[in-house]
PDB file of all heavy atoms in Angstrom:
ATOM      1  N   SER B  27     -18.813  13.768  37.244  1.00 85.00           N
ATOM      2  CA  SER B  27     -18.132  12.890  38.095  1.00 85.00           C
ATOM      3  C   SER B  27     -19.099  11.735  38.630  1.00 85.00           C
ATOM      4  O   SER B  27     -18.609  10.695  39.032  1.00 85.00           O
ATOM      5  CB  SER B  27     -17.453  13.558  39.250  1.00 85.00           C
ATOM      6  OG  SER B  27     -18.257  14.495  39.873  1.00 85.00           O
ATOM      7  N   LYS B  28     -20.388  12.099  38.621  1.00 84.00           N
ATOM      8  CA  LYS B  28     -21.324  11.015  39.009  1.00 84.00           C
ATOM      9  C   LYS B  28     -21.531   9.985  37.924  1.00 84.00           C
ATOM     10  O   LYS B  28     -22.013   8.903  38.222  1.00 84.00           O
ATOM     11  CB  LYS B  28     -22.699  11.703  39.360  1.00 84.00           C
ATOM     12  CG  LYS B  28     -22.812  12.216  40.758  1.00 84.00           C
ATOM     13  CD  LYS B  28     -24.260  12.465  41.125  1.00 84.00           C
ATOM     14  CE  LYS B  28     -24.924  13.378  40.199  1.00 84.00           C
ATOM     15  NZ  LYS B  28     -26.204  13.908  40.649  1.00 84.00           N
ATOM     16  N   LYS B  30     -21.132   7.148  35.390  1.00 86.00           N
ATOM     17  CA  LYS B  30     -20.388   5.954  35.450  1.00 86.00           C
ATOM     18  C   LYS B  30     -19.301   5.885  34.337  1.00 86.00           C
ATOM     19  O   LYS B  30     -19.573   6.207  33.195  1.00 86.00           O
ATOM     20  CB  LYS B  30     -21.353   4.738  35.175  1.00 86.00           C
ATOM     21  CG  LYS B  30     -20.715   3.416  35.597  1.00 86.00           C
ATOM     22  CD  LYS B  30     -21.637   2.314  35.335  1.00 86.00           C
ATOM     23  CE  LYS B  30     -20.975   0.981  35.400  1.00 86.00           C
ATOM     24  NZ  LYS B  30     -21.729  -0.157  34.809  1.00 86.00           N
ATOM     25  N   GLY B 109      30.303  50.025  12.572  1.00 91.00           N
ATOM     26  CA  GLY B 109      31.615  50.194  13.194  1.00 91.00           C
ATOM     27  C   GLY B 109      32.762  49.612  12.350  1.00 91.00           C
ATOM     28  O   GLY B 109      33.916  49.584  12.844  1.00 91.00           O
ATOM     29  N   LEU B 130      31.184  40.192  20.476  1.00 95.00           N
ATOM     30  CA  LEU B 130      30.091  39.914  21.373  1.00 95.00           C
ATOM     31  C   LEU B 130      28.712  40.142  20.722  1.00 95.00           C
ATOM     32  O   LEU B 130      27.816  39.413  21.016  1.00 95.00           O
ATOM     33  CB  LEU B 130      30.131  40.970  22.582  1.00 95.00           C
ATOM     34  CG  LEU B 130      31.304  40.607  23.597  1.00 95.00           C
ATOM     35  CD1 LEU B 130      31.345  41.713  24.680  1.00 95.00           C
ATOM     36  CD2 LEU B 130      31.069  39.225  24.236  1.00 95.00           C
ATOM     37  N   ILE B 201      23.240  36.114   7.857  1.00 92.00           N
ATOM     38  CA  ILE B 201      22.195  35.360   8.584  1.00 92.00           C
ATOM     39  C   ILE B 201      20.940  36.160   8.679  1.00 92.00           C
ATOM     40  O   ILE B 201      19.876  35.566   8.398  1.00 92.00           O
ATOM     41  CB  ILE B 201      22.691  34.956  10.007  1.00 92.00           C
ATOM     42  CG1 ILE B 201      23.797  33.895   9.876  1.00 92.00           C
ATOM     43  CG2 ILE B 201      21.581  34.492  10.896  1.00 92.00           C
ATOM     44  CD1 ILE B 201      24.504  33.478  11.141  1.00 92.00           C
ATOM     45  N   THR B 306     -36.977  27.692   4.002  1.00 89.00           N
ATOM     46  CA  THR B 306     -36.569  26.696   5.065  1.00 89.00           C
ATOM     47  C   THR B 306     -37.004  25.367   4.425  1.00 89.00           C
ATOM     48  O   THR B 306     -38.002  25.281   3.764  1.00 89.00           O
ATOM     49  CB  THR B 306     -37.420  26.884   6.295  1.00 89.00           C
ATOM     50  OG1 THR B 306     -37.056  28.188   6.832  1.00 89.00           O
ATOM     51  CG2 THR B 306     -37.140  25.789   7.305  1.00 89.00           C
ATOM     52  N   GLN B 328      -5.977  18.234  -3.020  1.00 78.00           N
ATOM     53  CA  GLN B 328      -4.840  17.854  -2.289  1.00 78.00           C
ATOM     54  C   GLN B 328      -3.910  16.896  -3.097  1.00 78.00           C
ATOM     55  O   GLN B 328      -2.709  17.047  -3.146  1.00 78.00           O
ATOM     56  CB  GLN B 328      -5.254  17.220  -0.949  1.00 78.00           C
ATOM     57  CG  GLN B 328      -5.151  18.214   0.184  1.00 78.00           C
ATOM     58  CD  GLN B 328      -5.735  17.676   1.457  1.00 78.00           C
ATOM     59  OE1 GLN B 328      -6.487  16.657   1.407  1.00 78.00           O
ATOM     60  NE2 GLN B 328      -5.477  18.368   2.546  1.00 78.00           N
ATOM     61  N   CYS B 387      21.273  29.080  -4.563  1.00 77.00           N
ATOM     62  CA  CYS B 387      19.947  28.940  -4.027  1.00 77.00           C
ATOM     63  C   CYS B 387      19.138  27.837  -4.587  1.00 77.00           C
ATOM     64  O   CYS B 387      18.444  27.958  -5.605  1.00 77.00           O
ATOM     65  CB  CYS B 387      19.187  30.263  -4.201  1.00 77.00           C
ATOM     66  SG  CYS B 387      17.615  30.225  -3.402  1.00 77.00           S
ATOM     67  N   THR B 395       8.150  24.917  -9.475  1.00 86.00           N
ATOM     68  CA  THR B 395       6.968  24.175 -10.008  1.00 86.00           C
ATOM     69  C   THR B 395       5.882  24.001  -8.981  1.00 86.00           C
ATOM     70  O   THR B 395       4.764  24.414  -9.280  1.00 86.00           O
ATOM     71  CB  THR B 395       7.397  22.915 -10.638  1.00 86.00           C
ATOM     72  OG1 THR B 395       8.599  23.096 -11.350  1.00 86.00           O
ATOM     73  CG2 THR B 395       6.394  22.356 -11.580  1.00 86.00           C
ATOM     74  N   MET B 400       0.322  24.545  -7.081  1.00 87.00           N
ATOM     75  CA  MET B 400      -0.598  24.716  -5.933  1.00 87.00           C
ATOM     76  C   MET B 400      -1.556  25.826  -6.113  1.00 87.00           C
ATOM     77  O   MET B 400      -2.791  25.680  -6.043  1.00 87.00           O
ATOM     78  CB  MET B 400       0.195  24.946  -4.670  1.00 87.00           C
ATOM     79  CG  MET B 400       0.589  23.677  -4.033  1.00 87.00           C
ATOM     80  SD  MET B 400       1.575  24.004  -2.534  1.00 87.00           S
ATOM     81  CE  MET B 400       0.223  24.165  -1.372  1.00 87.00           C
ATOM     82  N   ALA B 407     -10.093  25.114  -8.501  1.00 88.00           N
ATOM     83  CA  ALA B 407     -11.119  24.582  -7.597  1.00 88.00           C
ATOM     84  C   ALA B 407     -12.012  25.753  -7.231  1.00 88.00           C
ATOM     85  O   ALA B 407     -13.278  25.509  -7.117  1.00 88.00           O
ATOM     86  CB  ALA B 407     -10.430  24.020  -6.351  1.00 88.00           C
ATOM     87  N   LYS B 424      -1.469  22.553 -24.174  1.00 92.00           N
ATOM     88  CA  LYS B 424      -1.158  22.179 -25.501  1.00 92.00           C
ATOM     89  C   LYS B 424      -2.331  21.761 -26.424  1.00 92.00           C
ATOM     90  O   LYS B 424      -2.255  21.511 -27.601  1.00 92.00           O
ATOM     91  CB  LYS B 424      -0.164  20.952 -25.559  1.00 92.00           C
ATOM     92  CG  LYS B 424       1.145  21.249 -24.945  1.00 92.00           C
ATOM     93  CD  LYS B 424       2.092  20.062 -25.207  1.00 92.00           C
ATOM     94  CE  LYS B 424       3.299  20.110 -24.312  1.00 92.00           C
ATOM     95  NZ  LYS B 424       3.712  18.725 -23.947  1.00 92.00           N
ATOM     96  N   GLY B 434     -26.160  15.703 -23.170  1.00 79.00           N
ATOM     97  CA  GLY B 434     -25.842  15.810 -21.817  1.00 79.00           C
ATOM     98  C   GLY B 434     -24.601  16.728 -21.586  1.00 79.00           C
ATOM     99  O   GLY B 434     -24.293  17.119 -20.450  1.00 79.00           O
ATOM    100  N   LYS B 438     -28.845  19.789 -22.671  1.00 81.00           N
ATOM    101  CA  LYS B 438     -29.152  19.586 -21.212  1.00 81.00           C
ATOM    102  C   LYS B 438     -29.273  18.102 -20.857  1.00 81.00           C
ATOM    103  O   LYS B 438     -29.242  17.667 -19.753  1.00 81.00           O
ATOM    104  CB  LYS B 438     -30.412  20.277 -20.847  1.00 81.00           C
ATOM    105  CG  LYS B 438     -30.207  21.768 -20.789  1.00 81.00           C
ATOM    106  CD  LYS B 438     -31.424  22.500 -20.318  1.00 81.00           C
ATOM    107  CE  LYS B 438     -31.119  24.039 -20.155  1.00 81.00           C
ATOM    108  NZ  LYS B 438     -32.330  24.813 -20.109  1.00 81.00           N
ATOM    109  N   ALA B 462     -47.833   7.982 -26.125  1.00 88.00           N
ATOM    110  CA  ALA B 462     -47.549   7.899 -24.669  1.00 88.00           C
ATOM    111  C   ALA B 462     -47.980   6.582 -24.098  1.00 88.00           C
ATOM    112  O   ALA B 462     -47.279   5.955 -23.280  1.00 88.00           O
ATOM    113  CB  ALA B 462     -48.277   9.044 -23.996  1.00 88.00           C
ATOM    114  N   GLU B 481     -48.774  14.033 -20.026  1.00 85.00           N
ATOM    115  CA  GLU B 481     -49.272  14.335 -18.668  1.00 85.00           C
ATOM    116  C   GLU B 481     -49.708  15.898 -18.601  1.00 85.00           C
ATOM    117  O   GLU B 481     -50.655  16.169 -18.018  1.00 85.00           O
ATOM    118  CB  GLU B 481     -48.126  14.165 -17.721  1.00 85.00           C
ATOM    119  CG  GLU B 481     -48.596  13.953 -16.276  1.00 85.00           C
ATOM    120  CD  GLU B 481     -47.341  13.652 -15.297  1.00 85.00           C
ATOM    121  OE1 GLU B 481     -46.567  12.696 -15.761  1.00 85.00           O
ATOM    122  OE2 GLU B 481     -47.213  14.412 -14.424  1.00 85.00           O
ATOM    123  N   LEU B 487     -54.019   7.496 -20.377  1.00 84.00           N
ATOM    124  CA  LEU B 487     -53.312   6.439 -21.147  1.00 84.00           C
ATOM    125  C   LEU B 487     -54.109   5.094 -21.087  1.00 84.00           C
ATOM    126  O   LEU B 487     -54.817   4.854 -20.072  1.00 84.00           O
ATOM    127  CB  LEU B 487     -51.903   6.235 -20.692  1.00 84.00           C
ATOM    128  CG  LEU B 487     -51.159   7.571 -20.720  1.00 84.00           C
ATOM    129  CD1 LEU B 487     -49.659   7.227 -20.350  1.00 84.00           C
ATOM    130  CD2 LEU B 487     -51.149   8.302 -22.112  1.00 84.00           C
ATOM    131  N   ILE B 510     -50.602  -0.159 -33.471  1.00 89.00           N
ATOM    132  CA  ILE B 510     -49.948   1.145 -33.456  1.00 89.00           C
ATOM    133  C   ILE B 510     -48.407   0.880 -33.521  1.00 89.00           C
ATOM    134  O   ILE B 510     -47.869   0.070 -32.762  1.00 89.00           O
ATOM    135  CB  ILE B 510     -50.269   1.937 -32.147  1.00 89.00           C
ATOM    136  CG1 ILE B 510     -51.741   2.057 -31.935  1.00 89.00           C
ATOM    137  CG2 ILE B 510     -49.631   3.293 -32.269  1.00 89.00           C
ATOM    138  CD1 ILE B 510     -52.538   2.779 -32.935  1.00 89.00           C
ATOM    139  N   MET B 518     -40.650   2.133 -40.061  1.00 89.00           N
ATOM    140  CA  MET B 518     -41.666   2.224 -41.090  1.00 89.00           C
ATOM    141  C   MET B 518     -41.291   1.398 -42.305  1.00 89.00           C
ATOM    142  O   MET B 518     -42.151   0.722 -42.899  1.00 89.00           O
ATOM    143  CB  MET B 518     -41.878   3.714 -41.475  1.00 89.00           C
ATOM    144  CG  MET B 518     -42.325   4.628 -40.288  1.00 89.00           C
ATOM    145  SD  MET B 518     -43.919   4.169 -39.562  1.00 89.00           S
ATOM    146  CE  MET B 518     -43.573   4.267 -37.836  1.00 89.00           C
ATOM    147  N   ILE B 554     -46.502  12.712 -36.550  1.00 90.00           N
ATOM    148  CA  ILE B 554     -45.046  12.831 -36.228  1.00 90.00           C
ATOM    149  C   ILE B 554     -44.904  13.505 -34.916  1.00 90.00           C
ATOM    150  O   ILE B 554     -45.647  14.500 -34.646  1.00 90.00           O
ATOM    151  CB  ILE B 554     -44.319  13.715 -37.275  1.00 90.00           C
ATOM    152  CG1 ILE B 554     -44.577  13.201 -38.677  1.00 90.00           C
ATOM    153  CG2 ILE B 554     -42.785  13.767 -36.988  1.00 90.00           C
ATOM    154  CD1 ILE B 554     -44.101  14.167 -39.833  1.00 90.00           C
ATOM    155  N   LYS B 617      -8.507   8.438 -34.132  1.00 92.00           N
ATOM    156  CA  LYS B 617      -8.311   9.025 -35.552  1.00 92.00           C
ATOM    157  C   LYS B 617      -7.845  10.413 -35.507  1.00 92.00           C
ATOM    158  O   LYS B 617      -6.877  10.771 -36.262  1.00 92.00           O
ATOM    159  CB  LYS B 617      -9.595   8.877 -36.328  1.00 92.00           C
ATOM    160  CG  LYS B 617      -9.887   7.569 -36.915  1.00 92.00           C
ATOM    161  CD  LYS B 617     -11.076   7.722 -37.897  1.00 92.00           C
ATOM    162  CE  LYS B 617     -11.818   6.365 -37.996  1.00 92.00           C
ATOM    163  NZ  LYS B 617     -13.219   6.492 -38.432  1.00 92.00           N
ATOM    164  N   GLY B 693      18.514  30.619 -14.068  1.00 87.00           N
ATOM    165  CA  GLY B 693      19.279  31.762 -14.615  1.00 87.00           C
ATOM    166  C   GLY B 693      20.002  32.432 -13.428  1.00 87.00           C
ATOM    167  O   GLY B 693      21.243  32.774 -13.517  1.00 87.00           O
ATOM    168  N   ASN B 711      36.989  44.235 -12.498  1.00 87.00           N
ATOM    169  CA  ASN B 711      37.359  44.437 -11.151  1.00 87.00           C
ATOM    170  C   ASN B 711      36.206  44.314 -10.214  1.00 87.00           C
ATOM    171  O   ASN B 711      36.076  44.888  -9.163  1.00 87.00           O
ATOM    172  CB  ASN B 711      38.009  45.790 -10.899  1.00 87.00           C
ATOM    173  CG  ASN B 711      39.538  45.608 -10.696  1.00 87.00           C
ATOM    174  OD1 ASN B 711      40.044  44.481 -10.770  1.00 87.00           O
ATOM    175  ND2 ASN B 711      40.202  46.700 -10.460  1.00 87.00           N
ATOM    176  N   ALA B 724      18.181  35.667  -0.820  1.00 81.00           N
ATOM    177  CA  ALA B 724      16.856  35.833  -0.116  1.00 81.00           C
ATOM    178  C   ALA B 724      15.814  36.204  -1.093  1.00 81.00           C
ATOM    179  O   ALA B 724      14.634  35.744  -1.064  1.00 81.00           O
ATOM    180  CB  ALA B 724      17.006  36.825   0.995  1.00 81.00           C
TER     181      ALA B 724
END
Side-chain angles (χ1 to χ4, degrees):
Chain B
S27 49
K28 274 200 300 194
K30 195 181 166 195
L130 287 177
I201 287 177
T306 300
Q328 259 170 347
C387 185
T395 320
M400 275 179 86
K424 292 188 199 150
K438 286 184 177 161
E481 203 179 304
L487 306 184
I510 309 293
M518 301 299 138
I554 308 169
K617 275 190 206 157
N711 256 2

